[in-house]
Amino acid sequence: MTVPVITIDGPGGSGKGTIAHELAARLGWHCLDSGALYRITAVMGERRGIALDDEPALVALVNTLPILFEAGRILVDGTDLADAIRSEAAGTGASRVGALPGLRAALLQRQRDFASPPGLVADGRDMGTVVFPAAPLKVYLTASAEERANRRYNQLINKGEGVSLPALLEDIRARDERDIARPVAPLRPAEDAVHIDSTAMTIREVVDTVLAEAARRGLFAQAG
Ligand code: DC
């Protein structure tokens, strides 16, 4: 039996993570936060003194690293990294290690293993183009860079972190550029992706739009 997969790709801050979790909860499916794997690689690489462009050492690291996602915790070699990987530095590090082809290849099977019954919602940059090219529903979620910077700003302020909005906007633009320009698995929509611009939409509206597409494709028994 093939497991249904819904892929949600798009730039950072487009709301992919929130939408993917909501969708998975509504459908009772599993959820893959692929960005977390790149963030974990960057954080653990730094903790172990590995340069973020030392591809062989990073590949060896991820090939041997025990990672367990369970109920909001991300246990990496026994330590919960759920908070540590959410920093801006971890995001920038993730974008750097994500440009290494050998590292992407090393993470491929680990990502595919998340596809188990009754279904999977997978969030990232290359879920529909590389990791799950046969997925029956692919979404490309965007929002303007200004709106994404605003959302991130509010998240960080709520966490009590002091940040500057112009610096965040600059960081978001630089990360977009790096993710789009890299030769391996660049950020781009799959040819058969449904495009959703979330700039002026609520989370609920985006989730309902994706559920309606899933229902239209017969991916679950009842329309959401
Ligand atoms: O989605 P995120 O912000 O957690 O991703 C952080 C970085 O990880 C992103 O800037 C690029 C990289 N990444 C990737 O290369 N491929 C993915 N499927 C997911 C993330």
Side-chain angles (χ1 to χ4, degrees):
M1 182 194 131
T2 55
V3 178
V5 178
I6 298 177
T7 60
I8 318 267
D9 290 306
S14 56
K16 285 174 299 148
T18 310
I19 301 298
H21 276 102
E22 277 286 317
L23 271 172
R26 293 269 290 270
L27 292 165
W29 289 9
H30 303 281
C31 193
L32 164 62
D33 170 4
S34 64
L37 295 173
Y38 292 92
R39 287 170 180 266
I40 288 167
T41 307
V43 169
M44 290 307 287
E46 283 197 330
R47 287 191 183 183
R48 301 220 176 149
I50 301 171
L52 294 190
D53 58 359
D54 185 344
E55 188 166 24
L58 291 171
V59 167
L61 171 71
V62 301
N63 280 341
T64 52
L65 204 57
I67 303 175
L68 194 65
F69 290 85
E70 59 162 43
R73 298 197 305 164
I74 301 178
L75 293 175
V76 181
D77 206 10
T79 307
D80 186 1
L81 290 190
D83 288 334
I85 64 163
R86 291 293 143 217
S87 70
E88 282 303 294
T92 304
S95 172
R96 285 183 59 198
V97 300
L100 304 171
L103 180 82
R104 303 196 72 86
L107 289 175
L108 198 55
Q109 193 55 46
R110 203 170 243 200
Q111 295 174 84
R112 289 185 174 150
D113 289 343
F114 278 79
S116 61
L120 175 70
V121 182
D123 137 32
R125 302 290 187 290
D126 61 341
M127 298 296 98
T129 50
V130 176
V131 182
F132 300 107
L137 174 54
K138 299 174 184 177
V139 174
Y140 193 73
L141 190 64
T142 54
S144 69
E146 288 76 13
E147 172 64 17
R148 290 185 282 128
N150 266 323
R151 290 176 186 170
R152 185 75 186 132
Y153 179 78
N154 290 329
Q155 266 177 3
L156 290 171
I157 291 292
N158 284 337
K159 279 204 286 179
E161 288 181 36
V163 277
S164 121
L165 188 56
L168 272 181
L169 184 57
E170 199 174 304
D171 190 53
I172 278 186
R173 291 206 165 115
R175 203 189 300 180
D176 282 359
E177 214 161 285
R178 196 163 38 230
D179 292 349
I180 289 167
R182 71 178 174 221
V184 205
L187 169 64
R188 66 175 170 81
E191 273 174 23
D192 48 351
V194 175
H195 291 242
I196 301 176
D197 182 342
S198 75
T199 306
M201 290 172 85
T202 63
I203 292 166
R204 170 106 209 202
E205 284 169 336
V206 177
V207 169
D208 286 346
T209 305
V210 180
L211 283 174
E213 287 288 343
R216 207 182 344 265
R217 287 164 165 78
L219 296 187
F220 60 103
Q222 288 162 353

